[in-house]
Amino acid sequence: MNKRKYIIDTDTASDDAVALVMALRSDLDILAITCTAGNLSLAKTTRNARLSCKFADTYVPPIYAGSDRPLVKTLVVGENVHGSDGLGDMFYPEPDIKLQEGHAVDAILEIARTQDDVGLITLGPLTNVAMAILLDPLAMRKITHIIAMGGQYRMTNGCTANAEFNIWVDGEAAKIVLESGIPITMVPLDVCYGEAEITADDRNTLRSLKTARGDFFVDCNRHLLAYNQRSYAKDIISMPDPTAMAVAIDPSIVTSYVDVYTQIELRSSLSYGQLIYDFYNRHKKIPNVRLVTKIDAQKFKQLVFKTAE
Ligand code: BDR
Ligand code: CA
């Protein structure tokens, strides 16, 4: 059977890193890793993407640097969440993996133009993808679908009350992607918390494997753990990007979804970046988003543990 082909676009911080390792140790064929600024500056996200490939220890797809800022807004990074290096302030040594020449947006377009049946997994702000759509919308319509970690529909979170970080960092880019006509599966924060949270028991399971990857998954997320303890009094590592990656690797992890026409608020200073879901189909529009509303959290965790072996 042919492997399913994907490009991964990422602002590689600690949960992106786990997701990249999962992808590179799965049955997916990762054609390229394209980096954007988001959680961190572009220099740091590209470094962390290279480091993640090192920890995956399988193959190294071409890794490209892309946008160093959102389309319109000023970049706001998330070092308070993931650490100044984005990997729990572990300050891992420089990996002997090189960045590819050329821009991430050109790389996405080149793959879209020359290959069939390619999907896109996005783990960060949508700047690179929006740029590619603006440059060559027809080529991008060949992308079969986008699986995006982004948004929320019920829960509030620490970014703003109404907007999730990846969408909020570059709302203008998210709007372009939402209106592109490319089928989007959105993995919102709601399904990445609750049963999917990595608890103290889960961290013990990862440590008990006594593997470099098991330790990496826990260590590089130690800043995120401290952030969750401090900010929400929760002893957990949240793993939004690995949850989205798990949906790509094993679509049966999704146990419930709703197809819904989705817009984004960009004008209000209070709710910039909020996704507005037309659950009652008042606009009589064709749904542009498959919103994941429930996952099999145990299956997700088993996949994380198996990857760490
Ligand atoms: C998203 O924001 C980042 O902190 C994570 O990497 C994830 O992509 C969750 O809101
Ligand atoms: Ca991310």
Side-chain angles (χ1 to χ4, degrees):
M1 208 177 73
N2 286 341
K3 287 185 163 190
R4 288 177 293 135
K5 297 186 282 187
Y6 278 101
I7 302 167
I8 303 174
D9 192 77
T10 164
D11 59 336
T12 319
S14 57
D15 68 319
D16 303 66
V18 174
L20 287 179
V21 174
M22 287 167 71
L24 294 173
R25 297 188 67 82
S26 75
D27 288 338
L28 303 181
D29 182 6
I30 305 305
L31 303 180
I33 297 173
T34 56
C35 300
T36 181
N39 281 316
L40 310 152
S41 67
L42 184 65
K44 290 184 185 179
T45 63
T46 51
R47 180 178 193 275
N48 292 346
R50 293 183 293 121
L51 261 163
S52 305
C53 292
K54 191 88 185 155
F55 277 98
D57 196 23
T58 49
Y59 63 105
V60 182
I63 306 169
Y64 297 89
S67 311
D68 66 356
R69 70 194 79 167
L71 294 183
V72 178
K73 273 174 74 184
T74 306
L75 177 66
V76 179
V77 295
E79 292 187 6
N80 60 325
V81 178
H82 299 276
S84 67
D85 67 348
L87 296 178
D89 283 341
M90 291 294 291
F91 302 113
Y92 293 104
E94 184 68 17
D96 55 354
I97 292 174
K98 292 221 168 341
L99 262 188
Q100 205 73 24
E101 296 276 318
H103 196 282
V105 175
D106 292 323
I108 293 172
L109 284 174
E110 175 66 14
I111 292 171
R113 287 179 188 130
T114 57
Q115 299 204 39
D116 295 324
D117 302 322
V118 179
L120 191 49
I121 301 164
T122 66
L123 309 177
L126 292 160
T127 321
N128 286 338
V129 182
M131 287 280 291
I133 292 167
L134 288 176
L135 277 168
D136 193 342
L138 274 184
M140 288 302 282
R141 286 296 289 269
K142 279 187 64 210
I143 295 290
T144 55
H145 62 284
I146 297 175
I147 298 174
M149 191 288 120
Q152 87 269 37
Y153 66 101
R154 284 206 184 113
M155 69 177 280
T156 56
N157 74 102
C159 178
T160 74
N162 304 324
E164 179 276 331
F165 182 82
N166 289 342
I167 303 293
W168 177 82
V169 167
D170 196 343
E172 282 73 16
K175 182 174 167 66
I176 290 165
V177 175
L178 283 169
E179 294 174 357
S180 68
I182 306 170
I184 302 165
T185 295
M186 197 72 88
V187 182
L189 282 179
D190 309 66
V191 298
C192 305
Y193 281 80
E195 289 176 0
E197 294 165 352
I198 298 296
T199 62
D201 280 350
D202 298 329
R203 299 197 294 278
N204 286 338
T205 303
L206 287 166
R207 290 279 191 217
S208 70
L209 296 171
K210 299 200 183 313
T211 60
R213 267 183 298 283
D215 286 343
F216 177 62
F217 284 8
V218 179
D219 289 336
C220 82
N221 280 293
R222 65 183 188 161
H223 208 283
L224 179 56
L225 172 64
Y227 175 84
N228 285 332
Q229 289 165 335
R230 204 174 50 243
S231 309
Y232 308 112
K234 290 180 92 174
D235 183 31
I236 56 116
I237 296 173
S238 37
M239 293 247 180
D241 294 338
T243 309
M245 189 57 72
V247 167
I249 294 171
D250 180 0
S252 77
I253 278 178
V254 176
T255 53
S256 177
Y257 64 82
V258 48
D259 290 332
V260 59
Y261 175 60
T262 305
Q263 294 172 287
I264 182 168
E265 171 58 49
L266 295 180
R267 290 200 197 135
S268 158
S269 55
L270 279 179
S271 48
Y272 173 93
Q274 180 176 3
L275 296 181
I276 315 288
Y277 306 97
D278 186 9
F279 286 122
Y280 297 102
N281 198 16
R282 292 207 169 92
H283 287 92
K284 304 276 178 264
K285 292 268 200 180
I286 298 169
N288 54 347
V289 163
R290 173 158 293 183
L291 179 68
V292 176
T293 52
K294 204 163 175 17
I295 63 157
D296 183 333
Q298 290 318 313
K299 226 177 191 177
F300 160 66
K301 287 189 182 182
Q302 289 311 318
L303 188 54
V304 173
F305 298 152
K306 193 166 174 295
T307 305
E309 281 173 4

